[in-house]
Amino acid sequence: MAKLRPHFVLFGDSITQQSFANEGWGAALADLYSRKADVFLRGYSGYNTRWALLLLDKVFPKVSSSAPEVVTVFFGANDAALPDRGSQQQHVPISEYKENLHQIVSHIKGNSETTVVVLITPPPVDEVGRRVYARSGELPERTNEVTKLYAQACKDVAKEAGVPVIDLWSLFQQTQNWQQAYLSDGLHLTPRGNRVVFEELVNVLNCRPYLTADELPMDFPPFSEIDWKNPSSIFQAKE
Amino acid sequence: MAKLRPHFVLFGDSITQQSFANEGWGAALADLYSRKADVFLRGYSGYNTRWALLLLDKVFPKVSSSAPEVVTVFFGANDAALPDRGSQQQHVPISEYKENLHQIVSHIKGNSETTVVVLITPPPVDEVGRRVYARSGELPERTNEVTKLYAQACKDVAKEAGVPVIDLWSLFQQTQNWQQAYLSDGLHLTPRGNRVVFEELVNVLNCRPYLTADELPMDFPPFSEIDWKNPSSIFQAKE
């Protein structure tokens, strides 16, 4: 497709992959930016940052003309799986997680310094909610205590790399009953949880006026501006 | 962005532009095809087919390498506005509407014969619902009787051009209380109305097995297939 609009890329794990379902934050973004930006879904269920590195050259090739304007990087929920429980194969040690996030940010920025990279921390884990998904008798594969460390590491990377971050781990827990309000299974998001991600992302974009939905131009004139007796005039004028 | 997946383009008026809101049919399609296709929103609120023609060269440029695999063409609700009421500037005579639809289909097919073009008729109009939107004392700007003729013209074009069509005008009216069940303001779609469009579109795609969500390959391996002790092996094997 011809590039008619800025490109926003949502890069992450299942919480990103599912962001067009269930009143999802990805769909809400695409709706807010309809006529103004194209939103690309690059969510990979189950992926951690180690595997995300293996996708970088393909998802973000070094062709500057195709560099996106905005990228959300939303990994950590799988890296934080405990190394001695049911999802051990997804575990990535925290020091490697930090290094991998840095590599992701610098790869994207290396293609285009002007790309806005937004890090998002993993959401908090509700262990009671996760227990339903563990096999009978098993302990949950993630704990909130450990995920907190990954969320902090994500914030550290954002600070070190000088990019914005959405601290979902902390934000969710400011609400009483966050476990049910924001999480559907102790890890993935309810419509309300999706709403928080969407609103926080819009807040980040609103700090960059040229990227707000209000300021970005429509790709073609609103129909109310078309002279219906000479419709081609406004299209020619825009060329 | 690099083309990692087939491209599905939703080309139409406000009913397309709004298809990522309100449990919309566009978002549902993007969700069903996550990891498998990229869905591009090309909805232009208020546009009729006459103005759509002015976009064709830009939305569907003659560069075959970028030709989409699927395009929905969903115009007619505005063309069918009555020429002597409040939305007269959007009106397009029915013979011109037919000719314009033919031009749209042949432009897209001219870029790539293999592109699947799906026509969608305008939905039926609930005049009671529309009255709320007419200025006080004015008659509604559309009638269901006239829109029926545009829906029939759309079906005729599909038959003549040999492309599939979703006859939304008839489908909606098979349900009692369609006015409230499927339409939010006598013209635009409720979540249930969006669901019908989504399901009908999936039915059309399911007749082309290589385009079903089940058959299309994921762009990268599912995480369960990654050898966590040698993760790069499967990515190299796919190259």
Side-chain angles (χ1 to χ4, degrees), chain A residues 120-134:
Chain A
I120 306 177
T121 76
V125 171
D126 170 35
E127 291 161 47
V128 176
R130 285 318 286 164
R131 228 171 245 267
V132 178
Y133 289 82

Side-chain angles (χ1 to χ4, degrees), chain B residues 179-222:
Chain B
Q179 297 90 337
Q180 288 75 42
Y182 295 143
L183 302 176
S184 61
D185 60 359
L187 181 66
H188 297 93
L189 310 187
T190 61
R192 277 186 66 190
N194 273 287
R195 191 79 203 166
V196 173
V197 178
F198 167 68
E199 288 174 353
E200 291 296 324
L201 187 52
V202 170
N203 286 344
V204 170
L205 297 174
N206 283 347
C207 297
R208 287 149 188 85
Y210 64 100
L211 283 175
T212 63
D214 281 346
E215 287 298 319
L216 277 178
M218 282 191 178
D219 54 355
F220 294 109

Side-chain angles (χ1 to χ4, degrees), chain B residues 143-166:
Chain B
T143 66
N144 200 32
E145 194 183 354
V146 167
T147 296
K148 176 186 187 174
L149 304 175
Y150 285 76
Q152 183 59 52
C154 179
K155 289 197 287 179
D156 292 345
V157 170
K159 194 168 183 186
E160 289 157 17
V163 302
V165 63
I166 296 170

Side-chain angles (χ1 to χ4, degrees), chain B residues 4-239:
Chain B
L4 296 176
R5 311 165 175 174
H7 287 176
F8 292 4
V9 182
L10 314 182
F11 187 46
D13 56 31
S14 57
I15 304 174
T16 296
Q17 185 176 326
Q18 297 171 10
S19 68
F20 282 69
N22 202 18
E23 303 178 35
W25 61 278
L29 194 72
D31 182 50
L32 178 66
Y33 281 86
S34 70
R35 310 272 304 261
K36 306 205 166 182
D38 285 331
V39 178
F40 289 79
L41 184 52
R42 293 291 180 269
Y44 298 92
S45 177
Y47 274 56
N48 54 33
T49 54
R50 187 185 290 165
W51 304 336
L53 290 185
L54 299 169
L55 310 182
L56 278 182
D57 283 335
K58 297 235 171 103
V59 175
F60 302 103
K62 290 195 180 299
V63 181
S64 63
S65 69
S66 74
E69 277 69 12
V70 176
V71 180
T72 58
V73 175
F74 192 173
F75 288 99
N78 298 315
D79 301 64
L82 301 178
D84 56 356
R85 294 197 188 161
S87 293
Q88 59 175 310
Q89 74 279 11
Q90 290 164 286
H91 169 75
V92 171
I94 197 157
S95 57
E96 184 190 336
Y97 169 70
K98 262 193 83 169
E99 177 51 35
N100 292 345
L101 272 187
H102 266 301
Q103 273 197 53
I104 293 170
V105 174
S106 66
H107 179 99
I108 297 167
K109 286 280 197 183
N111 287 353
S112 166
E113 185 52 48
T114 60
T115 298
V116 175
V117 179
V118 184
L119 290 178
I120 306 176
T121 76
V125 171
D126 170 36
E127 290 160 48
V128 176
R130 287 316 287 165
R131 229 172 244 266
V132 178
Y133 289 82
R135 272 184 293 261
S136 167
E138 280 189 8
L139 292 165
E141 78 299 343
R142 293 163 175 86
T143 66
N144 200 32
E145 194 183 354
V146 167
T147 296
K148 176 186 187 174
L149 304 175
Y150 285 76
Q152 183 59 52
C154 179
K155 289 197 287 179
D156 292 345
V157 170
K159 194 168 183 186
E160 289 157 17
V163 302
V165 63
I166 296 170
D167 179 5
L168 213 58
W169 191 89
S170 300
L171 279 165
F172 273 13
Q173 291 178 91
Q174 288 168 8
T175 295
Q176 272 206 323
N177 195 35
W178 58 270
Q179 297 90 337
Q180 288 75 42
Y182 295 143
L183 302 176
S184 61
D185 60 359
L187 181 66
H188 297 93
L189 310 187
T190 61
R192 277 186 66 190
N194 273 287
R195 191 79 203 166
V196 173
V197 178
F198 167 68
E199 288 174 353
E200 291 296 324
L201 187 52
V202 170
N203 286 344
V204 170
L205 297 174
N206 283 347
C207 297
R208 287 149 188 85
Y210 64 100
L211 283 175
T212 63
D214 281 346
E215 287 298 319
L216 277 178
M218 282 191 178
D219 54 355
F220 294 109
F223 84 96
S224 57
E225 289 180 10
I226 299 174
D227 175 359
W228 55 294
K229 300 203 168 157
N230 183 15
S232 60
S233 58
I234 193 167
F235 292 91
Q236 286 158 355
K238 298 263 175 184
E239 277 177 1

